[in-house]
Amino acid sequence: MGARGTVGRAHRAAAACLYPGAWAVDATVGNGHDTLFLAREVGPLGRVDGVDSQAAALSAARRRLEAAGALDPVRLHHGGHEHLLGLLPEGARGRVRAILFNLGFLPGGDKAVITRTGTTLAALEAGAALLAPGGRIVLVAYPGHPGGAEECEAVMHWAGSRRPEGMALLELDPPDQGKAAPRLLVLESRPGT
Ligand SMILES: C[S@@+](CC[C@H](N)C(=O)[O-])C[C@H]1O[C@@H](n2cnc3c(N)ncnc32)[C@H](O)[C@@H]1O
């Protein structure tokens, strides 16, 4: 399945735990397509915190959200998602319904600026601390670009055997034969399990 199909599956997995008024996080804002999707799901009474390490990405995303009239629920943060807990208000802990990660490089931007294994894993650990019961981490990883395969393997290994307690594994795509297809990961917070 191509990137578009996998991102569509990611959106459906996130939508399943969102509702008007909910709190969502986009951990890799990029050009803002995913942030716009989240903003529409939670509506004007909800909240979306979006994080990206590139200012150019945040500018593009802001323009997209403004043009769509969907900026109201969105707070954009310039920084690394590995600092998610510091970028979001203290009150976010235990209240976020969905956190979306769309890894790799900014389409149309500098392909050398990519998400990296160490910071991605730190962000996933931080994200788990933010989730409400029933909340989900939804991630799309791309093994096809330089550095992507290593990151993808590390994330899938973390999800399979090193994820925090109380996180249930809902979906984890196996590698395809060509090993370049995007892979979806969905985790759900189930405290006490
Ligand atoms: C594939 S793009 C995201 C696509 C985006 N969600 C969209 O809808 O257009 C990946 C993004 O991750 C960002 N990124 C890379 N390292 C990051 C980090 N440590 N923290 C936050 N964002 C990072 C890049 O700047 C890039 O914009």
Side-chain angles (χ1 to χ4, degrees):
M1 183 178 283
R4 194 177 290 247
T6 309
V7 171
R9 289 170 59 214
H11 285 187
R12 288 193 288 282
C17 62
L18 289 173
Y19 47 83
W23 196 334
V25 170
D26 187 348
T28 50
V29 167
N31 291 315
H33 298 279
D34 297 322
T35 316
L36 177 57
F37 157 75
L38 293 171
R40 285 180 169 150
E41 288 297 314
V42 305
L45 298 179
R47 174 168 175 155
V48 181
D49 284 84
V51 177
D52 203 289
S53 55
Q54 293 193 75
L58 294 173
S59 302
R62 180 177 295 279
R63 285 195 296 276
R64 182 177 308 282
L65 291 159
E66 262 168 0
L71 191 57
D72 272 2
V74 179
R75 272 83 164 166
L76 294 173
H77 308 272
H78 185 200
H81 45 212
E82 61 277 21
H83 305 301
L84 210 46
L85 295 180
L87 291 168
L88 268 64
E90 189 67 31
R93 280 178 183 256
R95 290 181 58 197
V96 173
R97 294 290 308 176
I99 307 177
L100 207 52
F101 288 81
N102 197 343
L103 301 180
F105 55 83
L106 177 65
D110 183 351
K111 289 192 168 61
V113 181
I114 55 173
T115 53
R116 308 241 171 219
T117 304
T119 43
T120 298
L121 293 180
L124 285 165
E125 293 278 349
L130 291 173
L131 286 181
R136 292 180 176 183
I137 288 176
V138 178
L139 176 148
V140 179
Y142 301 86
H145 63 272
E150 179 223 308
E151 180 188 40
C152 184
E153 272 317 305
V155 165
M156 298 305 166
H157 180 256
W158 173 88
S161 55
R162 289 175 40 224
R163 65 185 184 275
E165 263 182 44
M167 293 293 291
L169 185 57
L170 297 195
E171 287 188 63
L172 189 159
D173 283 349
D176 81 320
Q177 281 188 336
K179 297 192 188 302
R183 292 172 68 185
L184 176 67
L185 166 67
V186 184
L187 296 167
E188 188 170 281
S189 173
R190 294 188 187 158
T193 59

